[in-house]
Amino acid sequence: MRRSRKVTLIVVTGLVLLAAGFLWALPEIVRRVALDQIPKRTGRAVAISDIDLNLFTGRLAIKDFRLADRPDPEPFLEAERLALRLSPIALLRSHIHIVELVLTAPSLRIVRTESGELNFADLLGGTAEPAEPEPPAAPRRWTVTLDRLNIARGRVHVADRGVTPPADWRAQDLDFEATGLTTRAGAPPGRLALRVRIDEARLAASVEPLRIEPLIFLGKVTLDGFESGRLNPYVYIPLGTPYRPKGGRFSLAVTADVDSDDHEVRKAILAGSMSLEREAFARAGHTDPFLSASRVGVEIKEVDALARTLTVANVTLEGLDLEARRDARGVIDVVEIFTSKASPPARPGGPATAAPRPPAAPPKAAPAPSEHPRQKLFPILGGLVDGFREVRVERITLTPSKALLIDEGTKPPTRLPLTKLEARVDDFTWPVKRPATVALSTGLPGGGTLAIKGPVTVQPFDADLVIAIRNAPVEPYQAYIPIPARLSGRYGGDSRNRIAIRDGVLVAQSKGNSWAENVEIREPGAERPAIRVERMELVGIDFDWPKRAAAQKAAFRRPRVEIERSADGSFNVRRLFTPPGPEGATPTPEPAAKSGSGPSGSQPKGLLETMRLEFGEVRIDDGFIRFLDRTTQPAFSQDLSRLAVRVTDLGNRPARRAKLVLQSVVGGDADLDIRGELGALGAPTFVDLVGELQSFNLPSVDPYALAATGWAIKKGELQYKFRFKLDGNQLAADNDVLIGQLQVAPASGSDEVKRRIGLPLGLIVGLIKDQKGEIHVNVPVTGTVNDPKFSLGDAIWTAIKNVLVNVVSAPFKAIGRLFSGGGKTEEPGEKLDVPKVDPVSFEAGSSVLSPAMEDHLLRVADFLRRSPFVSLALTPVPGAGDVAALREEAVAARLREFQKERGVEDAAVALAEYYKERLPDVPLPATLEEQAALLREREPAPDAGLTDLGRRRVQATRERLLTVEGIPGARLTVAEGPAAASGGSAAPREATVEGRVDFAIMAGE
């Protein structure tokens, strides 16, 4: 028994010693097994300095653990110390109870290669075939409790070579602590806290309370100072888009609240804020950003994961600085960012900076190009929004910012800066439940302000906006005005606008007022404006696209227009508003209407046919127009001042007639008054006007008179009344002309009036003046304006000629006749016959007026009295009988003198002796008559006698008109030689029996 006890004691002691030795050697055994097995199973070198293990207390400590990377020699994972303490007794209750887990100074290095493989992929297992599933064991529920977990002074290094450029991430000073974590139901909640420095950023997270079964936690995550540029390699930018974010400082503060019971999650709420400071976008190859913001902040009010709703309290953009650019192709860079087409990246997170070379044969798995839709700039954000059933943004705020719009499509490029740009959007929802309220204000290019406010519905689009523009200049938008004119001035307006898309059709409505001040329009390079308006107004605008455009009043105050006609005949106003055509371009004919373009191939209707236009009143107040014509010599200039125009009820209703009233002062002292009706816009032409021009000084139009007639106007005043009607193509005009004290004088060798009418203007003026020195005629003009043969100029000349025929011919019915001027002209139609006053005839050799001629001179005097501005030129014309009578008288005088000298009493003897002495070589005729006749034939021409006879006849005629009829001598002039005065015959008539005095009508003073 003793021996047996002794042996038993020895065995027990040995076993105890053996167990104690095993327990003492166990840590080293574990260390050696780990050093042997880990490299075999991982292919990685491993180092462990020491292991402490106590099975009774459940303590395990691993010191200086190091696991090498493959193939790099650098460590993949290393830790200064890992301490674990378990409760062994809890294992008996199917409960894993970790009393404490402490990891000191861990360091983890993660590498992703260019092929996308991770350096720890081999540790996760290969592609071995999955083992056959074991039959399910009897359910046994294990629970886990972690009383305390602590990670101190941790480090993580991530080297991502799978993106371009390669990314390098370093997390340092990682401290993590968790307490009271358990999967046991109904246990008190625990907590956890994390603090780490990621490069320059600091991340902190805390969850308290935290219960796992059922899940309940309230957590908060903050990130401060993160450089968002580090994410650039991971942000998908469409291929070919030359815009990249430069990166700013990102901060985040988010709280999450989750609550659940044994069956389901009852609450999952996320809230917080995030901000991005000093972010900017730059174009490839440029260092200057085209878009930057000092701060972008988002306040998330609530993200309800169960209801899938997102509520954003505020989105704030501060200090936005945009430089948008439109290139010569018309592409706008800001739009291009969101609309660029490109293939998706080759792999998630892969490089997207350059398009890869196409392979020789497309890989089987490559998607067809048609499968690559238009990508968004931020697809993650788009997917996030699309994942919510409802999104609401309570407010979006843009604080004072600026923008610069550069348009390279104009020459030179246009720069449009916007300053003090502010905006606010309230209550934006998606899907749309109600309109969002939008408010925007900005300083416009060159000055002025723009303010927009009102509700906007995104889908279907519907906006009701109040727009106010103040003191905005026109000059910055010059490049977009498609005419050569250079415009300046300031404009403004107040309007309420409705813009909507209904069934795919744009609807635009606007009501309000607009105005512009100090508007100037000038030619390029000109110092003085051709058109200047002190103020323009559109009052009561009522626009409804595409149905109606109306305004209560369009007013132009103190417009000043300078119309200049250059020496080449071109007008400056036309040059101002004629769009320049391409150099060398020739006009192309309009294409013929296609058979399907409308009924019977008709063209589609224009705006004047489809849109109702209505203007209650169009008026011009205190206007001024100066017209300068350099085609005349000298140049012609005329002014219209105090111009007042009023047009009412102007529109395009077919039956509408607009009323026109125009008043002005012409040339400083003549009054112009025009009134009448105008037809509807777009309808067949209808104009019915009556007007009057009073006290117009005619010498002011002398340059035109010289060019048109060849006569200068020395004096004259015009009173002019007219009635003008143009109905469709039918023209009817009635012109009542009263000219006082008109005096004209020939100014050039070309008498256009005589060429067209047949009489010189001076004579016409003298003939048609009345006793007061006035000319009063009515000139009707009619015609069909669309007749190819119709010419307004020819119609006016014809009308004037017809009037003159009636006026001029009447006085000559009693004293003479009208005879054709003769000769051919280039002008069509007959010319006015030249008026002719019958001459005063005399007996052969006599200067005594017969009773019949005295009566004739009475009628001539009556004509002169009725035509006080006509003079007569008196020209003596000898007849054949006068020559014979003077020769007979001369022979008789010489014969009497011969008879007296010789003392011969017998006349027959004296004649015979005189004949022999006078004509000694000529045989003496048998009879006395033949002797006398032969002497008369040989008598020299009686020039002196004829001259004297003519003088006496003119004197007798003139004296009769002067003394008996009372005609002023200034109106009776004596012409030398045959009648050749203006309007008379060019040479004396063939020799007649009777001598006479011819009258030539001349214009008098």
Side-chain angles (χ1 to χ4, degrees), residues 863-883:
F863 161 72
L864 291 175
R865 281 187 283 268
R866 288 194 304 269
S867 303
F869 298 95
V870 172
S871 298
L872 291 179
L874 285 67
T875 304
V877 178
D882 292 332
V883 175

Side-chain angles (χ1 to χ4, degrees), residues 1-15:
M1 179 66 73
R2 275 169 115 175
R3 186 176 179 180
S4 175
R5 290 177 179 174
K6 187 176 182 179
V7 171
T8 301
L9 181 60
I10 292 172
V11 172
V12 171
T13 302
L15 290 174

Side-chain angles (χ1 to χ4, degrees), residues 144-200:
V144 179
T145 298
L146 177 61
D147 289 344
R148 178 174 179 267
L149 169 64
N150 181 263
I151 300 175
R153 295 185 287 116
R155 294 179 298 168
V156 179
H157 177 206
V158 179
D160 192 350
R161 300 168 186 165
V163 295
T164 303
D168 195 75
W169 301 84
R170 295 181 183 274
Q172 300 177 0
D173 301 332
L174 187 150
D175 292 325
F176 178 80
E177 185 175 3
T179 60
L181 303 183
T182 180
T183 61
R184 299 175 67 181
R191 67 179 184 86
L192 63 83
L194 169 69
R195 293 183 300 276
V196 64
R197 180 164 58 89
I198 304 174
D199 294 310
E200 66 287 335

Side-chain angles (χ1 to χ4, degrees), residues 713-729:
I713 301 177
K714 299 171 63 178
K715 185 180 179 182
E717 186 177 86
L718 173 66
Q719 311 288 335
Y720 174 53
K721 296 180 181 180
F722 68 88
R723 172 74 181 268
F724 177 90
K725 186 174 183 180
L726 179 61
D727 191 353
N729 296 317

Side-chain angles (χ1 to χ4, degrees), residues 422-433:
E422 298 182 63
R424 177 172 164 175
V425 180
D426 292 328
D427 200 16
F428 172 81
T429 59
W430 186 266
V432 177
K433 290 187 175 181

Side-chain angles (χ1 to χ4, degrees), residues 322-396:
L322 170 67
E323 185 178 297
R325 188 180 303 268
R326 189 182 82 149
D327 61 21
R329 301 170 299 158
V331 177
I332 303 175
D333 49 14
V334 176
V335 178
E336 186 184 30
I337 294 177
F338 296 93
T339 59
S340 296
K341 281 186 177 181
S343 299
R347 56 182 179 276
T353 57
R357 293 184 178 180
K364 295 181 180 180
S370 60
E371 298 176 1
H372 303 329
R374 187 180 295 270
Q375 299 291 326
K376 297 180 180 178
L377 178 60
F378 301 111
I380 298 177
L381 180 61
L384 179 63
V385 173
D386 293 340
F388 288 103
R389 292 177 180 172
E390 180 182 330
V391 177
R392 181 187 178 193
V393 181
E394 295 181 348
R395 179 173 297 173
I396 301 174

